[in-house]
Amino acid sequence: MEIAVDDPGSCPVARASESAGDVTSVQRASIAGDGPVTEEFTAAADAPVDDGDLEQVATAGDEAVYRFEREAGSACVCQSIEELAGPVSDVRAADGGLVVTARVDDVETVRSVVDRLRDAFDGVRIRRLRSLDEATDGDGLAPDGLLTERQREVLETAHDLGYFEYPKGANAGEVADELGISRSTLAEHLAAAQGKLLATMLNSGDRGRA
């Protein structure tokens, strides 16, 4: 499961990406369960990272490693996911937003994660869901007849314009304009199509992980 959060609050990693560009190799560790969490991330060495909470601890070629601490109970996208789904496997940031990847056992956990994130943060969306034993052949994830013709058109147009990319190639207004519909109608079609795909991928006997 890959989730994007456009506005992750006060996350130092996301803040740094606003000026430093892409931020990668995010690592987190806490010595005590209720103690401060130490995090490190990698950014371009010459990037203008201006944040008093960050300490540059190493450089290697054209990359620099930054470190900071936060309280374990503070609002954190990664912690919110891990409390429900287990360890995240990848975190990256760009333009002030986060993309987080985690392995999730079932559709109910996916829904719980998304609901919790949407209660705390803005701009939360699922970017990708994939079963580990999903077949690699075939022409798509949606069986014939699963989506209405309009839902498929909306989903394909949003994909073609880069709506699901990170950073986005097109925003909701641009996709809606391309289709000649309102943003609210676009949101309804996307939610319905993604909900059907989610159920199809993850409700097949819990055969794999997302």
Side-chain angles (χ1 to χ4, degrees):
M1 172 185 71
E2 189 174 84
I3 289 185
V5 181
D6 292 338
D7 184 5
S10 60
C11 174
V13 176
R15 287 205 312 265
S17 73
E18 293 179 341
S19 57
D22 292 351
V23 170
T24 60
S25 301
V26 181
Q27 300 179 0
R28 298 152 41 250
S30 176
I31 297 175
D34 58 354
V37 177
T38 300
E39 301 198 30
E40 294 183 352
F41 64 86
T42 302
D46 59 353
V49 178
D50 293 324
D51 192 319
D53 296 330
L54 299 177
E55 176 188 4
Q56 185 174 319
V57 295
T59 58
D62 58 356
E63 292 185 329
V65 178
Y66 294 88
R67 179 183 296 164
F68 65 92
E69 286 189 352
R70 64 172 178 81
E71 293 301 318
S74 60
C76 172
V77 171
C78 296
Q79 183 173 321
S80 297
I81 293 173
E82 290 183 330
E83 288 175 351
L84 294 173
V88 302
S89 57
D90 183 67
V91 183
R92 58 190 187 277
D95 298 329
L98 291 178
V99 173
V100 182
T101 303
R103 295 180 177 86
V104 182
D105 288 325
D106 53 59
V107 66
E108 291 305 322
T109 302
V110 173
R111 290 171 179 158
S112 296
V113 168
V114 172
D115 287 345
R116 174 177 290 192
L117 291 177
R118 286 178 174 166
D119 284 342
F121 307 100
D122 293 328
V124 176
R125 65 188 188 281
I126 296 175
R127 294 187 71 239
R128 183 178 303 164
L129 283 168
R130 183 174 63 87
S131 173
L132 291 183
D133 59 355
E134 176 186 308
T136 56
D137 55 357
D139 60 359
L141 298 176
D144 291 342
L146 177 66
L147 304 180
T148 67
E149 183 176 346
R150 188 57 164 163
Q151 287 169 350
R152 183 179 290 274
E153 179 188 12
V154 168
L155 200 61
E156 289 179 349
T157 300
H159 179 270
D160 291 344
L161 292 178
Y163 177 77
F164 299 108
E165 296 175 4
Y166 190 81
K168 285 185 178 182
N171 60 35
E174 291 167 332
V175 176
D177 289 344
E178 178 71 17
L179 290 161
I181 59 178
S182 67
R183 292 183 62 171
S184 61
T185 300
L186 171 71
E188 291 173 3
H189 284 311
L190 286 177
Q194 290 175 314
K196 290 179 179 179
L197 291 174
L198 177 79
T200 297
M201 294 179 64
L202 298 177
N203 278 349
S204 54
D206 290 332
R207 60 194 179 89
R209 293 174 177 265

